Amino acid sequence: MAWLYIPATLLAAYIIHTLYNLGKNYLVARRIGAPMMISFFAPYTPMNQLTGKGIRRFTMRCPWPISEWGKCGFYGWSYLDEGKTHEKLGPVFVLVTSSRNLVIVADPAAVKSALARYRQFRKIPGQVSIALFGPNVVTVEDDVWSRHRKLTAPAFNEKSSRLVWQESLKQGKGMIQSFVAAGAAGTTSLQKDVQTVALHVLTKVGFGVENDFGEGVSRVHPGYKLPFRDTIQLILRQAIVILIIGRKNLLSRVMPAGLQKLGTAVEEYDRYIRSLLQDQRKAIAQGTEPQNNLLNVLIRASDTEKDSGHASQTLSDEEIRGNTFIFNVAGHDTTANTLAFAIAMLAGYPEVQNWLSEEINTVLGNDENPDYEESYPKLVRCLATMYETLRLFSAVPENPKYTWANAPTLAVGNKDYAIPPDTYVQLNFTAMFTSPRDFPPDPLVWRPSRFVLPSPTSSSSPATTDEKPVQESLWDPPRGTFIPFSDGPRNCLGRKFAMVEFVAVIATLFRRHRVRPKRVEGESEAEARERVIGMAKDAWTGGVVLRMRDPARVGLVWEGV
């Protein structure tokens, strides 16, 4: 039994080390002056993200105070919490952990201030996981970020928005044909289908590669083992695993089959992107390239700086590949999941489908190829549906920052809090977006009409009914209370891209069709609607963004009207 002394000694050493660090960090947290909560889980350590899930579930089922120990100690906790902890502790509190303390903030003015001061509230060390294929505009800092921003921003312009609109209409038509063809049997492939649409839009607008809905990124290309879509999905969901184990190690023969498949996904994604980059450079050299795609703009902007003698202001091929990866993350995964959430919720609210259809048919009429400039600005209800979906199902429930060596002060209400160096600062978007003060009277109810005003002159409060206004415009929530695309200098570059794509797809789907949940035996229509709404709400932060746990749990039946 002597061999038991070794693991017992290691366990004892770990417990002592954890308790010592908790005590040390508790003393530091007290000096901040905010309410405190103790957690044995530090949300942004790779090992905790990899192994802590089961232990957290166990502790959260235990009696108080053990149940509190894992409550806020994982990425995505705020979606499950729905602002309850802030109601108890206030707009700012400190999560004391054995790793680093977390200052969690849900005050709109303080959040806007932190996002504006991006040199003091910086990216967390763990966000290197989204730099798997090279530095990019999301992961770099300071002057390097300024260079990346300067060269990537021109790719997102009105020309690209027009192309997004056209391609989204095309892909939406292909998807609705597939849905209707399933008939009364319904379809359970919603998540995969919206991912296909979003990736096809991205490959067209981003790389100049055109695909029909039924093929393309879901097809295995010659010389590859996985389709392009699957490589991206595997990487996004297992980014932490890749970071811990290492790209090359994943392909080792001693690794389990699942990890080897992940390694294959990483290598084949890299091959896909290198091939696209090579094709674009060849097309540019021959003068035959498509004029409007993001990769082309990146290459040309970088080459222009180089030709002007500003070699230090260019992007290397590795940086171009890195930014291409972040375009894939932000340009398809977030939009695809937002579409999936919206469609599932619409299936549970037929009255909202009718409300949407009324606007879509008024704006588009009989035009089978509606013009972007003429139609998009008028589809207010479609955009309101996106906003309401992002309000309750924020792609990024909380935005983590890190003070590094800085010691910034953050004003919350009438009090200034001095944030120590080496501290995480978590901006709790979900708590802000579901605030009873800013989104009355039903902040947890999915109601797109709250974002619609009956007239442009009425801006004090949102619409409270689903009746058709005489003239409609979007309601602008109180400043800082709703920032689904972040805020400040480092806000989302692809905001317009995502908005145009969402509106075009939703307008195509609900122009002449309706969706309902497929009923199971003995189930009423109302019960089926509750079940599909429950499917949407059963979400988690799998990988990088919020997504449904089991989007195939409820079948969806599409019918023409």
Side-chain angles (χ1 to χ4, degrees), residues 340-352:
F341 280 120
I343 292 168
M345 294 301 287
L346 283 162
Y349 289 92
E351 69 277 12
V352 181

Side-chain angles (χ1 to χ4, degrees), residues 1-8:
M1 299 295 288
W3 62 271
L4 288 174
Y5 287 110
I6 296 176

Side-chain angles (χ1 to χ4, degrees), residues 104-122:
I104 303 179
V105 186
D107 178 77
V111 167
K112 280 187 69 69
S113 173
L115 291 170
R117 294 148 61 194
Y118 65 93
R119 292 182 184 271
Q120 293 179 305
F121 297 92
R122 304 166 73 86

Side-chain angles (χ1 to χ4, degrees), residues 2 31 36 86 118 140 163 241 292 352 393 450 470 475 489:
R31 294 197 290 270
M36 293 182 292
H86 282 284
Y118 65 93
V140 295
L163 192 56
V241 177
N292 296 316
V352 181
F393 305 98
R450 77 171 72 243
V470 175
W475 171 59

Side-chain angles (χ1 to χ4, degrees), residues 427-542:
L427 311 178
N428 191 340
F429 287 171
T430 300
M432 291 198 312
F433 298 173
T434 56
S435 165
R437 178 192 63 192
D438 298 315
F439 296 95
D442 46 9
L444 297 179
V445 173
W446 186 79
R447 184 167 54 81
S449 62
R450 77 171 72 243
F451 277 98
V452 177
L453 290 170
S455 73
T457 58
S458 175
S459 57
S460 58
S461 62
T464 56
T465 72
D466 290 332
E467 295 178 2
K468 181 184 177 183
V470 175
Q471 187 178 2
E472 294 178 335
S473 60
L474 279 171
W475 171 59
D476 188 15
R479 188 181 180 193
T481 60
F482 181 65
I483 47 174
F485 298 97
S486 194
D487 198 60
R490 299 195 65 151
N491 62 357
C492 178
L493 274 172
R495 172 178 178 166
K496 185 68 174 290
F497 189 118
M499 290 161 59
V500 172
E501 180 178 347
F502 182 97
V503 168
V505 171
I506 290 295
T508 303
L509 293 180
F510 292 95
R511 187 177 185 179
R512 300 188 181 100
H513 297 86
R514 300 290 184 273
V515 61
R516 60 177 175 82
K518 184 181 179 183
R519 292 160 59 180
V520 298
E521 187 176 353
E523 185 178 51
S524 68
E525 192 66 38
E527 289 170 337
R529 291 171 190 166
E530 286 299 316
R531 192 160 52 89
V532 75
I533 292 170
M535 178 186 76
K537 291 182 176 181
D538 182 19
W540 69 304
T541 46

Side-chain angles (χ1 to χ4, degrees), residues 130 136-138 156 164 198-199 201-202 207 232-233 236 269 294 322-339 386 390 395-396 484-485 490-499 501-502 544-545 547:
I130 53 175
N136 58 68
V137 70
V138 170
F156 297 91
V164 170
L199 268 177
V201 173
L202 182 66
F207 314 132
I232 294 177
Q233 288 304 310
L236 291 179
Y269 171 83
L294 306 184
N323 279 293
T324 301
F325 177 67
I326 210 63
F327 289 169
N328 276 313
V329 173
H332 109 273
D333 202 39
T334 54
T335 308
N337 281 290
T338 303
L339 279 166
M386 181 185 197
L390 286 171
V396 180
F485 298 97
R490 299 195 65 151
N491 62 357
C492 178
L493 274 172
R495 172 178 178 166
K496 185 68 174 290
F497 189 118
M499 290 161 59
E501 180 178 347
F502 182 97
V544 180
V545 302
R547 65 182 77 244

Side-chain angles (χ1 to χ4, degrees), residues 197-509:
V197 165
L199 268 177
H200 281 179
V201 173
L202 182 66
T203 55
K204 172 63 176 179
V205 181
F207 314 132
V209 178
E210 191 165 356
N211 295 292
D212 291 329
F213 172 77
E215 55 181 29
V217 294
S218 59
R219 183 180 71 247
V220 178
H221 289 248
Y224 292 83
K225 297 179 181 178
L226 296 170
F228 185 58
R229 179 186 65 191
D230 291 2
T231 65
I232 294 177
Q233 288 304 310
L234 282 167
I235 292 167
L236 291 179
R237 295 185 185 189
Q238 301 293 333
I240 295 299
V241 177
I242 300 168
L243 177 65
I244 293 173
I245 298 177
R247 286 177 56 177
K248 300 299 181 184
N249 296 331
L250 289 168
L251 291 172
S252 171
R253 292 182 179 180
V254 301
M255 290 292 176
L259 290 180
Q260 289 189 37
K261 183 177 181 180
L262 178 59
T264 300
V266 172
E267 295 307 310
E268 293 200 343
Y269 171 83
D270 200 23
R271 282 177 56 203
Y272 275 121
I273 296 302
R274 286 176 184 271
S275 176
L276 287 168
L277 181 57
Q278 183 179 11
D279 290 345
Q280 282 294 313
R281 285 203 178 279
K282 184 185 297 184
I284 289 172
Q286 296 173 350
T288 59
E289 84 289 344
Q291 295 301 309
N292 296 316
N293 70 73
L294 306 184
L295 187 56
N296 178 274
V297 173
L298 279 183
I299 295 170
R300 284 190 169 278
S302 185
D303 289 351
T304 298
E305 292 292 332
K306 187 183 297 184
D307 294 341
S308 302
H310 303 138
S312 63
Q313 295 300 307
T314 64
L315 292 175
S316 67
D317 276 7
E318 182 189 24
E319 290 174 320
I320 290 175
R321 293 197 303 274
N323 279 293
T324 301
F325 177 67
I326 210 63
F327 289 169
N328 276 313
V329 173
H332 109 273
D333 202 39
T334 54
T335 308
N337 281 290
T338 303
L339 279 166
F341 280 120
I343 292 168
M345 294 301 287
L346 283 162
Y349 289 92
E351 69 277 12
V352 181
Q353 295 183 53
N354 294 333
W355 176 74
L356 271 179
S357 179
E358 182 181 43
E359 174 189 75
I360 295 165
N361 285 288
T362 299
V363 172
L364 303 186
N366 296 319
D367 191 349
E368 294 301 320
N369 295 292
D371 179 70
Y372 162 67
E373 285 85 356
E374 177 66 24
S375 302
Y376 170 74
K378 297 177 182 178
L379 292 169
V380 173
R381 295 179 181 181
C382 292
L383 190 55
T385 301
M386 181 185 197
Y387 282 3
E388 180 70 345
T389 303
L390 286 171
R391 191 183 68 81
L392 290 183
F393 305 98
S394 177
V396 180
E398 60 257 5
N399 188 346
K401 299 295 180 183
Y402 182 49
T403 59
W404 291 87
N406 302 308
T409 298
L410 196 61
V412 180
N414 296 321
K415 186 171 182 179
D416 290 340
Y417 294 93
I419 313 297
D422 193 33
T423 301
Y424 289 132
V425 178
Q426 189 182 86
L427 311 178
N428 191 340
F429 287 171
T430 300
M432 291 198 312
F433 298 173
T434 56
S435 165
R437 178 192 63 192
D438 298 315
F439 296 95
D442 46 9
L444 297 179
V445 173
W446 186 79
R447 184 167 54 81
S449 62
R450 77 171 72 243
F451 277 98
V452 177
L453 290 170
S455 73
T457 58
S458 175
S459 57
S460 58
S461 62
T464 56
T465 72
D466 290 332
E467 295 178 2
K468 181 184 177 183
V470 175
Q471 187 178 2
E472 294 178 335
S473 60
L474 279 171
W475 171 59
D476 188 15
R479 188 181 180 193
T481 60
F482 181 65
I483 47 174
F485 298 97
S486 194
D487 198 60
R490 299 195 65 151
N491 62 357
C492 178
L493 274 172
R495 172 178 178 166
K496 185 68 174 290
F497 189 118
M499 290 161 59
V500 172
E501 180 178 347
F502 182 97
V503 168
V505 171
I506 290 295
T508 303
L509 293 180

